[in-house]
Amino acid sequence: MSLELKIQSLKLNEGENPVRKKAIIVAVAGNPNSGKSTLINAIAGTRLQVGNWPGVTVEKKTAVFEYEGRKIKLVDLPGTYSLSPYTQEEIIARDYLVHEKPDVIIDVVDATNLERNLYLTIQLLELGIPVVIALNIYDEAMKKGYKIDIKAMEKMLGVRVIPTIATKKSGLKELLKAITEIVDNPAIHIPKRLHYEEDFELAAASVESYIKTTYPHLAEKYPLRWFSFKLLEGDQHVLQEINLSENETFIKDIREHLKRSHGDDIESLMADERYAQASGLTHEVLKKPETRKIEMTEKIDRIVLNRFFGIPIFLAAMWLVFKLTFDVSGPFADWLDAMITGPFKRWAETILGFIHAPEWTVSLATDGIIAGVGFVIVFVPVIFAMMFFITFLEGSGYMARAAFVMDRLMHAIGLHGKSFIPMLLGFGCNVPAIYATRVLENPRDKALTALLIPLMSCGARLPVYVVFVGAFFPHNAGTVIWSLYVMGISLAILMGVIFKKTLFKGEAPVFIMELPPYRMPYFRSLMIHTWEKGKHFLIKAGTYILAVSIIVWFLLNLPWGVENKRDSYLGKMGQVIAPVLEPLGFGKWEAASSLVAGLIAKEIVVGTMGEIYVPKLEDKKEEKPSLTEDLKEIGTSLVSAAKDSIANIFSTFGIASLSSEESPEMKEERESLRNVIRKQFTPLTAYAFMSFVLLYMPCVVAAIALRQEFGTWKWYGIAFVYQMALAWIVAFMIYQGGKIIGLG
Amino acid sequence: MNLSMLKPGEAGKITSISAIGPLKRRLMDMGVLVGEIVKVEKVAPLGDPIEVTIKNYNLSLRKKEAEGIEVEVVK
Ligand SMILES: Nc1nc2c(ncn2[C@@H]2O[C@H](COP(=O)(O)OP(=O)(O)OP(=O)(O)O)[C@@H](O)[C@H]2O)c(=O)[nH]1
Ligand SMILES: [Mg+2]
């Protein structure tokens, strides 16, 4: 056996660079919320790397580090209650364990909830891979007065059991030591074979021997005991994988035999068996105090989930999250924006001027590349802030409550209670909102939520409304803008119902969710996680956005030297598209070109209109500040951004990003734009145009977020098509309907 | 009598689970097994889903799912 294991571990490292030390692969498995991520963070700290599992969008976290001269690689498996093949997480976890055959499994067990956690442990033991149990959240178990007999537990399971408190980094050394001991001496650390009921054991044994003789390659590929039980259970995932049918005689015969004496549902029987083991073990090793205290979680839930207060509290919490996400990050985003379009751009111009670069390269570098970089970077604060708060909500246990409170409402449009938060964030910015869909476990819920998010009118659409409403509805500005938000929400409900009946027909996801105890999230974990996500966005999304921004620069400025924007490529595109917009009331190349440019971000629609409609004011003579002045400016404005950000936390009115102050020049520019627009649009076509801007295609950053979250362009494609259609139809109905009732 | 009919504060012993397929498997993995005692803790403010305790932890599920879980009331 020992030899076998060694061979196994040799095989494992094939393909790795032979010069480098072979890493000990340690998979970290456990129930959701048992503290896996916290444990990994505590051990590996900033060496954590966040990526995705291949082909799916479930996060994969790994960390490589040295311990006593050995290289150890930790792999954070998704939290699962079981190794059944029903949720994406479960499939990932088990495929990894079965096919990648890690050297050791750390099974993170929540000491406050032994029985349900041990149910998974028992399944892990079937795999025959050495297991170490990290008996985590030990502090809370102690506080509850639980007495856990560790020695007895070790003896009964045949594995090491190490009490840990991941948040306080206690027990980690012992855990690592146990791992190295196991790797040094795998033979004495083979987990016990727990005995299920005799009939099952006999059946499994006969399947095992049959496989060994008939399918030796399978016997090598799979952990035999586990594999045999899966065949007995009729596990579809495994059967498919090995291309066997449930009706294969040898499986069928044994299953029939079991069914005759035990009833039809072998899968349930096995679950019963395993739970019986888990509960037997728990009774042996766990002593609970006679009287149970009323716990903190219960007290909080009495208020937070109260019939009357539940919803107001939820709404208040959401308002806070929304405000914190966008208001705290807002000033930093503005600061970054000002830095990039100000000093940074100036320096680039100076340097390029110094080396006598041709004018078009200067324009490309500053208006194309630097502006594009700026575009990516201004998103960073908000992504960071969103990740921080979402991780906080999840880690604290409130996310599950939010879902509980909102599920009824969201379920009506085919969504999950947890969809509410991403949808809400969508009003600030669709991009972090799409990333926030990761709180949804079910791929269907996730996709449906992400498809509807772009209908939430984001902050970037507001500048468009502001210009048009100012020009045409100065006396009803609030009502008109409000009506657009309501239109977005109503259409999201409508589309939700339509998608539920078409695209997602037949899949009815269930809502069976644990409400975990409230816990204070571990600040360091939060930071590490937030940082990793932000970095990911910067690198991945950054490249795409930059590319698109350069393309738009080309469209706007080529052929080089165009005097009239009408002759630029963008203008030409506008002329081609304009007739399509004719029935909507704004079939002019100017409007069409602006809409095309809005692909980058909807607020650019206004900027482009400005460039097209309003003849360029004489280039103001800028006195260029010196380098030291620039640097000083960067510093002081950062400080004031930080101040604003903190002030925003405490300010109670409105959304800061919406009421940002404007310079007199900007006001003036906007007025002159409004004057032109008044000539080009009527109130009716203006409203149709605003509706179109609200609804048409998600911006490129949202597109990239969709691509990144789902790993394919499919959902962006669907969003693009349905939104274009929706925008056209709605604007058409508004314009034509308005004409009929005599508004045009 | 099924689980969705219990009021907050009432408890029942599970007598059968009529769900099939993935739903049943999911319930079993979460410890919802025949013979187990479930207690209804709360109903969500909008009337659905419900929160129950089972095996010493809190679980929430929609009424529709609870309908498939037969119970007999225990005191
Ligand atoms: N008191 C206490 N809290 C802990 C301990 N370990 C983790 N926590 C907290 O438990 C919560 C969940 O921890 P996570 O590390 O996110 O759990 P996880 O297993 O990664 O969860 P999933 O990724 O959802 O499967 C967080 O709020 C942690 O701060 C511990 O030893 N003691
Ligand atoms: Mg985790």
Side-chain angles (χ1 to χ4, degrees):
Chain A
M1 194 66 194
S2 128
L3 190 69
E4 254 176 60
L5 267 170
K6 278 209 186 101
I7 290 167
Q8 231 177 46
S9 71
L10 276 178
K11 272 199 205 135
L12 238 175
N13 292 307
E14 267 175 11
E16 283 206 0
N17 187 343
V19 184
R20 287 170 60 194
K21 232 178 302 173
K22 280 176 202 125
I24 303 166
I25 311 277
V26 180
V28 182
N31 277 195
N33 268 302
S34 57
K36 297 175 297 299
S37 304
T38 312
L39 190 79
I40 292 187
N41 284 336
I43 296 175
T46 49
R47 284 155 295 198
L48 195 72
Q49 286 184 321
V50 184
N52 274 354
W53 291 91
V56 289
T57 56
V58 178
E59 224 160 68
K60 178 180 188 180
K61 287 180 229 135
T62 52
V64 181
F65 63 98
E66 297 256 337
Y67 173 75
E68 288 186 346
R70 292 157 197 267
K71 200 158 129 198
I72 298 182
K73 179 175 176 187
L74 294 176
V75 181
D76 190 2
L77 295 180
T80 59
Y81 295 105
S82 163
L83 294 183
S84 17
Y86 291 114
T87 68
Q88 215 177 26
E89 279 81 5
E90 286 168 355
I91 293 175
I92 292 169
R94 77 181 230 178
D95 280 356
Y96 185 84
L97 292 170
V98 170
H99 297 305
E100 308 290 316
K101 298 195 180 77
D103 299 84
V104 182
I105 300 172
I106 297 181
D107 174 20
V108 183
V109 165
D110 175 354
T112 65
N113 199 338
L114 264 189
E115 189 178 341
R116 207 199 56 219
N117 278 261
L118 286 177
Y119 176 69
L120 177 68
T121 306
I122 285 164
Q123 297 182 54
L124 293 175
L125 294 182
E126 285 172 15
L127 294 170
I129 298 170
V131 170
V132 190
I133 291 179
L135 194 59
N136 197 34
I137 319 193
Y138 200 65
D139 50 336
E140 271 183 32
M142 294 294 98
K143 237 185 19 225
K144 284 180 186 233
Y146 287 12
K147 290 208 169 57
I148 302 171
D149 188 342
I150 309 260
K151 284 266 137 38
M153 208 168 149
E154 289 191 326
K155 203 154 147 242
M156 292 172 80
L157 293 168
V159 302
R160 297 292 310 279
V161 178
I162 318 281
T164 57
I165 306 167
T167 40
K168 299 208 181 87
K169 298 197 174 204
S170 104
L172 304 184
K173 276 220 186 69
E174 292 82 350
L175 192 63
L176 289 174
K177 198 161 150 257
I179 290 169
T180 49
E181 278 170 19
I182 288 172
V183 175
D184 288 341
N185 215 338
I188 57 167
H189 288 282
I190 298 301
K192 264 229 171 73
R193 264 178 167 233
L194 295 176
H195 275 270
Y196 301 131
E197 194 182 319
E198 207 49 41
D199 281 357
F200 290 96
E201 288 294 344
L202 288 175
S206 70
V207 174
E208 269 182 47
S209 64
Y210 185 83
I211 295 209
K212 261 195 220 153
T213 48
T214 327
Y215 301 102
H217 65 287
L218 291 180
E220 229 167 79
K221 193 168 161 210
Y222 289 95
L224 249 188
R225 182 174 167 80
W226 177 84
F227 185 65
S228 307
F229 278 121
K230 290 296 139 188
L231 291 186
L232 284 180
E233 286 170 22
D235 185 306
Q236 293 303 327
H237 187 75
V238 168
L239 287 169
Q240 253 173 34
E241 226 175 65
I242 59 171
N243 245 329
L244 274 185
S245 140
E246 216 175 322
N247 298 322
E248 201 73 19
T249 13
F250 87 97
I251 307 173
K252 202 174 171 185
D253 285 352
I254 293 177
R255 275 169 63 84
E256 287 304 320
H257 172 78
L258 276 180
K259 280 181 184 172
R260 241 172 280 133
S261 42
H262 293 271
D264 263 350
D265 191 350
I266 298 178
E267 223 179 358
S268 306
L269 288 169
M270 281 306 299
D272 268 335
E273 257 320 294
R274 294 189 182 110
Y275 253 117
Q277 293 270 358
S279 110
L281 265 160
T282 310
H283 282 297
E284 292 287 323
V285 302
L286 173 67
K287 292 274 170 305
K288 285 187 195 177
E290 296 281 302
T291 50
R292 204 177 70 94
K293 284 182 291 193
I294 295 185
E295 280 162 32
M296 171 95 108
T297 296
E298 253 175 288
K299 287 186 205 156
I300 298 175
D301 272 347
R302 269 187 209 158
I303 304 165
V304 165
L305 300 183
N306 181 286
R307 282 217 98 130
F308 306 104
F309 304 136
I311 291 181
I313 289 175
F314 167 75
L315 292 176
M318 287 307 104
W319 178 80
L320 199 69
V321 168
F322 185 88
K323 202 166 158 49
L324 289 176
T325 305
F326 293 103
D327 286 6
V328 168
S329 62
F332 291 107
D334 293 345
W335 174 76
L336 284 169
D337 191 34
M339 288 311 103
I340 289 160
T341 51
F344 198 66
K345 204 168 145 184
R346 275 201 297 277
W347 295 341
E349 276 166 1
T350 312
I351 292 168
L352 289 172
F354 193 68
I355 57 168
H356 301 293
E359 198 193 336
W360 71 270
T361 50
V362 178
S363 169
L364 174 63
T366 56
D367 299 333
I369 297 171
I370 295 181
V373 169
F375 221 84
V376 178
I377 289 181
V378 291
F379 274 98
V380 172
V382 74
I383 301 273
F384 272 71
M386 184 278 298
M387 277 316 296
F388 184 88
F389 293 118
I390 290 281
T391 317
F392 182 88
L393 285 179
E394 282 199 307
S396 67
Y398 188 73
M399 186 65 86
R401 270 75 182 180
F404 182 70
V405 170
M406 269 300 127
D407 187 65
R408 176 72 186 268
L409 208 67
M410 301 313 281
H411 188 48
I413 48 171
L415 294 175
H416 185 278
K418 282 189 189 172
S419 308
F420 189 85
I421 291 174
M423 298 286 259
L424 179 83
L425 290 171
F427 287 110
C429 175
N430 289 178
V431 175
I434 288 166
Y435 283 116
T437 57
R438 66 181 45 210
V439 300
L440 291 149
E441 285 106 33
N442 186 304
R444 170 206 181 272
D445 293 333
K446 214 176 125 129
L448 184 50
T449 309
L451 277 185
L452 298 179
I453 283 173
L455 298 179
M456 304 296 112
S457 186
C458 68
R461 281 165 244 193
L462 201 57
V464 184
Y465 307 158
V466 168
V467 167
F468 277 83
V469 166
F472 294 100
F473 312 99
H475 305 299
N476 303 319
T479 322
V480 171
I481 292 181
W482 182 239
S483 75
L484 289 162
Y485 278 85
V486 173
M487 182 194 293
I489 297 169
S490 317
L491 288 171
I493 294 172
L494 178 73
M495 290 313 297
V497 173
I498 292 175
F499 282 140
K500 189 171 86 171
K501 299 230 165 95
T502 53
L503 215 49
F504 299 99
K505 206 170 73 188
E507 301 171 63
V510 296
F511 182 90
I512 297 174
M513 179 185 69
E514 185 184 358
L515 292 173
Y518 289 107
R519 289 195 177 109
M520 197 58 205
Y522 183 43
F523 187 72
R524 233 185 78 171
S525 274
L526 271 180
M527 293 315 284
I528 292 173
H529 199 89
T530 308
W531 167 244
E532 285 300 328
K533 270 274 94 67
K535 202 170 79 182
H536 206 66
F537 168 81
L538 216 98
I539 297 166
K540 283 273 174 58
T543 9
Y544 282 110
I545 297 168
L546 193 59
V548 174
S549 147
I550 291 170
I551 291 169
V552 171
W553 179 88
F554 274 107
L555 289 178
L556 254 175
N557 291 285
L558 292 185
W560 181 247
V562 278
E563 279 296 306
N564 194 337
K565 290 287 178 209
R566 196 192 160 95
D567 302 324
S568 71
Y569 288 142
L570 187 72
K572 287 188 182 137
M573 276 172 87
Q575 289 167 46
V576 173
I577 295 167
V580 183
L581 304 176
E582 194 56 49
L584 315 182
F586 43 85
K588 308 209 174 64
W589 75 266
E590 294 97 330
S593 304
S594 312
L595 288 170
V596 172
L599 175 71
I600 296 198
K602 293 192 175 178
E603 69 212 39
I604 289 192
V605 171
V606 176
T608 314
M609 283 194 145
E611 277 190 38
I612 293 174
Y613 282 136
V614 185
K616 260 245 155 73
L617 305 167
E618 262 310 287
D619 259 340
K620 293 154 268 157
K621 250 198 280 133
E622 289 176 49
E623 343 115 33
K624 292 202 173 160
S626 71
L627 185 62
T628 44
E629 272 169 351
D630 265 345
L631 289 175
K632 225 169 96 190
E633 169 65 16
I634 292 174
T636 48
S637 56
L638 175 61
V639 172
S640 85
K643 268 196 210 142
D644 284 350
S645 158
I646 292 165
N648 280 342
I649 300 178
F650 297 106
S651 78
T652 34
F653 298 105
I655 300 155
S657 43
L658 304 186
S659 58
S660 60
E661 316 128 44
E662 294 169 339
S663 60
E665 296 141 53
M666 274 171 75
K667 278 221 178 88
E668 195 187 305
E669 235 173 73
R670 201 149 76 190
E671 256 331 294
S672 50
L673 177 57
R674 279 186 184 142
N675 284 331
V676 188
I677 287 176
R678 277 198 201 100
K679 295 191 195 104
Q680 300 276 339
F681 288 81
T682 67
L684 182 63
T685 55
Y687 195 76
F689 186 78
M690 284 191 288
S691 312
F692 195 87
V693 170
L694 161 69
L695 301 171
Y696 88 121
M697 72 188 175
C699 69
V700 69
V701 194
I704 287 151
L706 276 169
R707 159 71 228 255
Q708 249 191 302
E709 270 307 294
F710 293 92
T712 98
W713 287 107
K714 175 180 164 196
W715 299 107
Y716 176 65
I718 293 171
F720 186 90
V721 171
Y722 101 79
Q723 283 191 256
M724 280 299 189
L726 195 63
W728 197 90
I729 292 167
V730 169
F732 179 83
M733 291 196 322
I734 291 171
Y735 178 61
Q736 300 296 343
K739 268 207 317 206
I740 290 168
I741 60 169
L743 291 176
Chain B
M1 187 94 185
N2 66 50
L3 181 59
S4 74
M5 296 161 164
L6 296 185
K7 298 205 169 42
E10 291 181 342
K13 185 173 177 183
I14 299 176
T15 54
S16 75
I17 298 172
S18 65
I20 46 159
L23 174 58
K24 176 162 197 189
R25 181 71 207 213
R26 187 95 206 124
L27 287 169
M28 304 208 84
D29 285 342
M30 300 295 282
V32 181
L33 304 166
V34 172
E36 210 61 47
I37 306 281
V38 274
K39 182 176 169 215
V40 175
E41 295 288 341
K42 286 187 192 67
V43 177
L46 298 174
D48 198 21
I50 60 172
E51 177 191 354
V52 302
T53 43
I54 190 161
K55 287 207 186 279
N56 195 35
Y57 79 98
N58 300 334
L59 183 70
S60 70
L61 67 172
R62 291 190 185 132
K63 281 200 167 144
K64 186 142 178 294
E65 286 134 18
E67 276 165 16
I69 300 168
E70 289 294 319
V71 293
E72 61 189 34
V73 181
V74 293
K75 287 277 130 58

